[in-house]
Amino acid sequence: MGWRGKTTGLTITAATALLLAGCAAIPEAAAPPPPPPPHPPPPPLLTMACSGGAIRLTAALDGAVALRTSAATDQVRFDGGTAIVPSRDIRLDRIAFSRGRFALEAANGRALTLPVQSEIGRVIEDCR
Protein backbone atom coordinates (compact mmCIF):
# COMPACT_ATOMS: atom_id res chain seq x y z
CA MET A 1 0.00 0.00 0.00
CA GLY A 2 2.94 2.27 0.45
CA TRP A 3 3.53 2.39 -3.27
CA ARG A 4 -0.02 3.16 -4.16
CA GLY A 5 -0.07 6.53 -2.48
CA LYS A 6 3.18 7.61 -4.10
CA THR A 7 2.08 6.46 -7.54
CA THR A 8 -1.24 8.27 -7.27
CA GLY A 9 0.50 11.46 -6.22
CA LEU A 10 2.92 11.12 -9.12
CA THR A 11 0.05 10.55 -11.53
CA ILE A 12 -1.78 13.61 -10.24
CA THR A 13 1.42 15.69 -10.49
CA ALA A 14 2.06 14.48 -14.05
CA ALA A 15 -1.55 15.13 -15.07
CA THR A 16 -1.41 18.63 -13.57
CA ALA A 17 1.86 19.36 -15.40
CA LEU A 18 0.31 18.24 -18.71
CA LEU A 19 -2.77 20.41 -18.12
CA LEU A 20 -0.64 23.43 -17.33
CA ALA A 21 1.58 22.81 -20.35
CA GLY A 22 -1.51 22.73 -22.57
CA CYS A 23 -2.49 26.20 -21.32
CA ALA A 24 0.79 27.78 -22.37
CA ALA A 25 0.55 30.23 -25.30
CA ILE A 26 1.97 29.15 -28.62
CA PRO A 27 4.88 31.43 -29.47
CA GLU A 28 4.38 33.52 -32.60
CA ALA A 29 7.08 33.64 -35.23
CA ALA A 30 8.94 36.92 -35.47
CA ALA A 31 8.20 39.02 -38.54
CA PRO A 32 10.89 38.80 -41.21
CA PRO A 33 13.11 41.86 -41.57
CA PRO A 34 12.01 44.35 -44.23
CA PRO A 35 13.67 43.99 -47.64
CA PRO A 36 16.57 46.33 -48.34
CA PRO A 37 15.68 49.47 -50.29
CA PRO A 38 16.17 49.16 -54.06
CA HIS A 39 19.37 50.52 -55.53
CA PRO A 40 18.92 53.65 -57.63
CA PRO A 41 19.42 53.04 -61.33
CA PRO A 42 22.86 53.93 -62.66
CA PRO A 43 23.14 57.24 -64.52
CA PRO A 44 22.95 57.08 -68.33
CA LEU A 45 26.22 56.75 -70.24
CA LEU A 46 25.24 59.53 -72.64
CA THR A 47 22.37 61.98 -72.83
CA MET A 48 21.36 64.08 -75.80
CA ALA A 49 19.02 67.01 -75.21
CA CYS A 50 17.87 69.95 -77.30
CA SER A 51 19.08 73.16 -75.72
CA GLY A 52 18.20 76.36 -77.58
CA GLY A 53 18.98 75.33 -81.16
CA ALA A 54 21.84 73.05 -80.19
CA ILE A 55 22.23 69.50 -78.93
CA ARG A 56 23.74 69.15 -75.47
CA LEU A 57 25.70 65.91 -75.07
CA THR A 58 26.37 64.86 -71.48
CA ALA A 59 28.76 62.03 -70.60
CA ALA A 60 31.52 61.22 -68.12
CA LEU A 61 34.14 62.49 -70.58
CA ASP A 62 36.32 65.59 -70.62
CA GLY A 63 38.56 67.36 -73.14
CA ALA A 64 38.93 66.54 -76.80
CA VAL A 65 36.95 63.41 -77.60
CA ALA A 66 37.09 61.48 -80.85
CA LEU A 67 33.66 60.77 -82.35
CA ARG A 68 33.88 57.64 -84.50
CA THR A 69 31.02 56.73 -86.81
CA SER A 70 30.80 54.52 -89.87
CA ALA A 71 31.20 57.64 -92.05
CA ALA A 72 34.10 59.50 -90.40
CA THR A 73 36.07 60.34 -87.28
CA ASP A 74 35.52 63.82 -85.85
CA GLN A 75 36.41 65.70 -82.68
CA VAL A 76 33.98 66.94 -80.02
CA ARG A 77 35.06 69.11 -77.09
CA PHE A 78 33.63 68.11 -73.69
CA ASP A 79 33.96 70.64 -70.88
CA GLY A 80 32.98 69.32 -67.46
CA GLY A 81 31.17 66.37 -69.03
CA THR A 82 29.11 68.48 -71.47
CA ALA A 83 29.50 69.26 -75.16
CA ILE A 84 27.30 71.65 -77.14
CA VAL A 85 26.88 70.81 -80.85
CA PRO A 86 24.84 73.09 -83.18
CA SER A 87 21.65 71.35 -84.31
CA ARG A 88 22.62 71.56 -88.02
CA ASP A 89 26.12 70.15 -87.47
CA ILE A 90 27.10 67.31 -89.82
CA ARG A 91 28.49 65.32 -86.86
CA LEU A 92 24.95 64.79 -85.55
CA ASP A 93 23.87 63.40 -88.93
CA ARG A 94 26.85 61.06 -88.90
CA ILE A 95 25.76 59.76 -85.48
CA ALA A 96 22.13 59.34 -86.54
CA PHE A 97 22.99 57.54 -89.79
CA SER A 98 25.95 55.53 -88.55
CA ARG A 99 25.59 51.82 -89.24
CA GLY A 100 25.04 49.99 -85.97
CA ARG A 101 26.99 52.05 -83.45
CA PHE A 102 29.16 55.05 -82.78
CA ALA A 103 31.99 55.63 -80.32
CA LEU A 104 33.23 58.48 -78.16
CA GLU A 105 36.91 58.02 -77.24
CA ALA A 106 38.72 60.36 -74.86
CA ALA A 107 42.47 60.92 -74.86
CA ASN A 108 42.75 59.46 -71.33
CA GLY A 109 41.54 56.06 -72.57
CA ARG A 110 37.89 56.32 -71.54
CA ALA A 111 35.58 55.24 -74.33
CA LEU A 112 31.89 54.72 -74.94
CA THR A 113 30.62 52.55 -77.76
CA LEU A 114 26.89 53.02 -78.12
CA PRO A 115 24.19 51.62 -80.42
CA VAL A 116 22.45 53.93 -82.85
CA GLN A 117 18.76 54.02 -81.98
CA SER A 118 15.86 55.85 -83.55
CA GLU A 119 15.53 58.15 -80.52
CA ILE A 120 18.83 59.82 -81.46
CA GLY A 121 17.46 60.85 -84.86
CA ARG A 122 14.24 62.06 -83.25
CA VAL A 123 16.07 64.31 -80.80
CA ILE A 124 18.15 65.79 -83.61
CA GLU A 125 15.15 66.38 -85.91
CA ASP A 126 13.02 67.84 -83.12
CA CYS A 127 15.79 70.29 -82.28
CA ARG A 128 16.08 71.55 -85.87
Side-chain angles (χ1 to χ4, degrees):
M1 284 219 184
W3 281 106
R4 242 183 221 188
K6 288 184 181 178
T7 310
T8 307
L10 229 111
T11 307
I12 292 173
T13 305
T16 306
L18 285 174
L19 281 173
L20 291 176
C23 293
I26 298 173
E28 292 185 23
H39 295 290
L45 296 175
L46 174 73
T47 61
M48 296 179 77
C50 184
S51 178
I55 300 288
R56 185 179 67 243
L57 303 171
T58 306
L61 301 170
D62 204 20
V65 175
L67 169 64
R68 297 186 189 277
T69 63
S70 60
T73 299
D74 297 303
Q75 293 291 317
V76 178
R77 179 89 185 151
F78 277 81
D79 290 316
T82 302
I84 304 294
V85 181
S87 64
R88 300 258 178 220
D89 196 309
I90 189 71
R91 294 175 291 183
L92 296 173
D93 291 326
R94 289 181 182 151
I95 290 172
F97 296 111
S98 186
R99 286 181 255 146
R101 63 189 72 124
F102 67 99
L104 295 167
E105 300 171 349
N108 63 2
R110 295 193 75 171
L112 297 174
T113 302
L114 303 163
V116 176
Q117 297 180 340
S118 60
E119 289 85 0
I120 293 172
R122 285 191 209 123
V123 168
I124 294 168
E125 286 303 314
D126 289 348
C127 198
R128 291 181 174 169

mmCIF file of all heavy atoms in Angstrom, residues 5-26:
data_model
loop_
_atom_site.group_PDB
_atom_site.id
_atom_site.type_symbol
_atom_site.label_atom_id
_atom_site.label_comp_id
_atom_site.label_asym_id
_atom_site.label_seq_id
_atom_site.Cartn_x
_atom_site.Cartn_y
_atom_site.Cartn_z
ATOM 1 N N GLY A 5 0.064 5.115 -2.777
ATOM 2 C CA GLY A 5 -0.070 6.533 -2.478
ATOM 3 C C GLY A 5 0.940 7.374 -3.248
ATOM 4 O O GLY A 5 0.636 8.449 -3.730
ATOM 5 N N LYS A 6 2.142 6.869 -3.376
ATOM 6 C CA LYS A 6 3.182 7.608 -4.099
ATOM 7 C C LYS A 6 2.885 7.615 -5.592
ATOM 8 O O LYS A 6 3.112 8.596 -6.280
ATOM 9 C CB LYS A 6 4.539 6.975 -3.830
ATOM 10 C CG LYS A 6 5.035 7.237 -2.438
ATOM 11 C CD LYS A 6 6.408 6.673 -2.279
ATOM 12 C CE LYS A 6 6.884 6.927 -0.871
ATOM 13 N NZ LYS A 6 8.163 6.370 -0.627
ATOM 14 N N THR A 7 2.393 6.550 -6.116
ATOM 15 C CA THR A 7 2.081 6.458 -7.539
ATOM 16 C C THR A 7 0.923 7.369 -7.884
ATOM 17 O O THR A 7 0.921 8.036 -8.914
ATOM 18 C CB THR A 7 1.723 5.003 -7.915
ATOM 19 O OG1 THR A 7 2.736 4.156 -7.416
ATOM 20 C CG2 THR A 7 1.638 4.860 -9.397
ATOM 21 N N THR A 8 -0.089 7.415 -7.024
ATOM 22 C CA THR A 8 -1.243 8.267 -7.271
ATOM 23 C C THR A 8 -0.812 9.726 -7.246
ATOM 24 O O THR A 8 -1.237 10.518 -8.077
ATOM 25 C CB THR A 8 -2.331 8.019 -6.212
ATOM 26 O OG1 THR A 8 -2.615 6.640 -6.161
ATOM 27 C CG2 THR A 8 -3.576 8.773 -6.532
ATOM 28 N N GLY A 9 0.017 10.079 -6.310
ATOM 29 C CA GLY A 9 0.501 11.463 -6.225
ATOM 30 C C GLY A 9 1.329 11.834 -7.451
ATOM 31 O O GLY A 9 1.240 12.939 -7.969
ATOM 32 N N LEU A 10 2.113 10.891 -7.923
ATOM 33 C CA LEU A 10 2.917 11.118 -9.118
ATOM 34 C C LEU A 10 2.037 11.272 -10.342
ATOM 35 O O LEU A 10 2.283 12.107 -11.200
ATOM 36 C CB LEU A 10 3.873 9.924 -9.311
ATOM 37 C CG LEU A 10 5.290 10.392 -9.549
ATOM 38 C CD1 LEU A 10 6.122 10.017 -8.357
ATOM 39 C CD2 LEU A 10 5.807 9.792 -10.770
ATOM 40 N N THR A 11 0.991 10.478 -10.411
ATOM 41 C CA THR A 11 0.051 10.550 -11.526
ATOM 42 C C THR A 11 -0.665 11.886 -11.527
ATOM 43 O O THR A 11 -0.835 12.514 -12.569
ATOM 44 C CB THR A 11 -0.973 9.402 -11.440
ATOM 45 O OG1 THR A 11 -0.265 8.173 -11.335
ATOM 46 C CG2 THR A 11 -1.853 9.370 -12.638
ATOM 47 N N ILE A 12 -1.080 12.318 -10.339
ATOM 48 C CA ILE A 12 -1.779 13.614 -10.244
ATOM 49 C C ILE A 12 -0.816 14.742 -10.606
ATOM 50 O O ILE A 12 -1.177 15.671 -11.319
ATOM 51 C CB ILE A 12 -2.361 13.797 -8.827
ATOM 52 C CG1 ILE A 12 -3.493 12.802 -8.613
ATOM 53 C CG2 ILE A 12 -2.854 15.212 -8.618
ATOM 54 C CD1 ILE A 12 -4.030 12.783 -7.211
ATOM 55 N N THR A 13 0.431 14.667 -10.178
ATOM 56 C CA THR A 13 1.423 15.686 -10.494
ATOM 57 C C THR A 13 1.695 15.716 -11.993
ATOM 58 O O THR A 13 1.768 16.780 -12.605
ATOM 59 C CB THR A 13 2.724 15.411 -9.730
ATOM 60 O OG1 THR A 13 2.428 15.316 -8.340
ATOM 61 C CG2 THR A 13 3.734 16.508 -9.950
ATOM 62 N N ALA A 14 1.813 14.561 -12.603
ATOM 63 C CA ALA A 14 2.064 14.482 -14.047
ATOM 64 C C ALA A 14 0.868 15.014 -14.821
ATOM 65 O O ALA A 14 1.020 15.744 -15.803
ATOM 66 C CB ALA A 14 2.372 13.051 -14.451
ATOM 67 N N ALA A 15 -0.351 14.659 -14.392
ATOM 68 C CA ALA A 15 -1.554 15.129 -15.067
ATOM 69 C C ALA A 15 -1.668 16.646 -14.943
ATOM 70 O O ALA A 15 -2.044 17.343 -15.894
ATOM 71 C CB ALA A 15 -2.780 14.443 -14.487
ATOM 72 N N THR A 16 -1.351 17.183 -13.771
ATOM 73 C CA THR A 16 -1.407 18.634 -13.570
ATOM 74 C C THR A 16 -0.378 19.330 -14.456
ATOM 75 O O THR A 16 -0.656 20.369 -15.059
ATOM 76 C CB THR A 16 -1.149 18.960 -12.094
ATOM 77 O OG1 THR A 16 -2.054 18.216 -11.279
ATOM 78 C CG2 THR A 16 -1.312 20.432 -11.807
ATOM 79 N N ALA A 17 0.809 18.770 -14.557
ATOM 80 C CA ALA A 17 1.858 19.358 -15.400
ATOM 81 C C ALA A 17 1.433 19.371 -16.865
ATOM 82 O O ALA A 17 1.646 20.348 -17.581
ATOM 83 C CB ALA A 17 3.156 18.595 -15.229
ATOM 84 N N LEU A 18 0.790 18.293 -17.325
ATOM 85 C CA LEU A 18 0.307 18.241 -18.707
ATOM 86 C C LEU A 18 -0.802 19.247 -18.947
ATOM 87 O O LEU A 18 -0.862 19.897 -19.998
ATOM 88 C CB LEU A 18 -0.168 16.829 -19.055
ATOM 89 C CG LEU A 18 0.939 15.806 -19.282
ATOM 90 C CD1 LEU A 18 0.345 14.411 -19.470
ATOM 91 C CD2 LEU A 18 1.761 16.183 -20.489
ATOM 92 N N LEU A 19 -1.696 19.424 -17.989
ATOM 93 C CA LEU A 19 -2.771 20.408 -18.121
ATOM 94 C C LEU A 19 -2.201 21.819 -18.185
ATOM 95 O O LEU A 19 -2.623 22.646 -18.997
ATOM 96 C CB LEU A 19 -3.753 20.292 -16.959
ATOM 97 C CG LEU A 19 -4.762 19.148 -17.058
ATOM 98 C CD1 LEU A 19 -5.562 19.047 -15.770
ATOM 99 C CD2 LEU A 19 -5.688 19.354 -18.232
ATOM 100 N N LEU A 20 -1.244 22.103 -17.326
ATOM 101 C CA LEU A 20 -0.643 23.431 -17.331
ATOM 102 C C LEU A 20 0.160 23.682 -18.610
ATOM 103 O O LEU A 20 0.172 24.797 -19.143
ATOM 104 C CB LEU A 20 0.243 23.619 -16.105
ATOM 105 C CG LEU A 20 -0.503 23.714 -14.761
ATOM 106 C CD1 LEU A 20 0.505 23.799 -13.628
ATOM 107 C CD2 LEU A 20 -1.434 24.910 -14.758
ATOM 108 N N ALA A 21 0.817 22.669 -19.114
ATOM 109 C CA ALA A 21 1.576 22.808 -20.350
ATOM 110 C C ALA A 21 0.649 23.080 -21.525
ATOM 111 O O ALA A 21 0.989 23.806 -22.453
ATOM 112 C CB ALA A 21 2.406 21.564 -20.609
ATOM 113 N N GLY A 22 -0.549 22.504 -21.500
ATOM 114 C CA GLY A 22 -1.511 22.727 -22.566
ATOM 115 C C GLY A 22 -2.062 24.137 -22.547
ATOM 116 O O GLY A 22 -2.565 24.639 -23.549
ATOM 117 N N CYS A 23 -1.971 24.830 -21.439
ATOM 118 C CA CYS A 23 -2.486 26.196 -21.320
ATOM 119 C C CYS A 23 -1.471 27.237 -21.767
ATOM 120 O O CYS A 23 -1.796 28.405 -21.881
ATOM 121 C CB CYS A 23 -2.883 26.480 -19.874
ATOM 122 S SG CYS A 23 -4.289 25.494 -19.323
ATOM 123 N N ALA A 24 -0.243 26.826 -21.983
ATOM 124 C CA ALA A 24 0.793 27.784 -22.368
ATOM 125 C C ALA A 24 0.499 28.320 -23.769
ATOM 126 O O ALA A 24 0.005 27.606 -24.638
ATOM 127 C CB ALA A 24 2.163 27.118 -22.339
ATOM 128 N N ALA A 25 0.787 29.596 -23.992
ATOM 129 C CA ALA A 25 0.552 30.233 -25.296
ATOM 130 C C ALA A 25 1.558 29.705 -26.315
ATOM 131 O O ALA A 25 2.716 29.443 -25.992
ATOM 132 C CB ALA A 25 0.688 31.735 -25.169
ATOM 133 N N ILE A 26 1.094 29.588 -27.527
ATOM 134 C CA ILE A 26 1.969 29.152 -28.622
ATOM 135 C C ILE A 26 2.771 30.379 -29.059
ATOM 136 O O ILE A 26 2.204 31.423 -29.352
ATOM 137 C CB ILE A 26 1.142 28.600 -29.798
ATOM 138 C CG1 ILE A 26 0.347 27.378 -29.342
ATOM 139 C CG2 ILE A 26 2.044 28.270 -30.970
ATOM 140 C CD1 ILE A 26 -0.618 26.863 -30.385
#
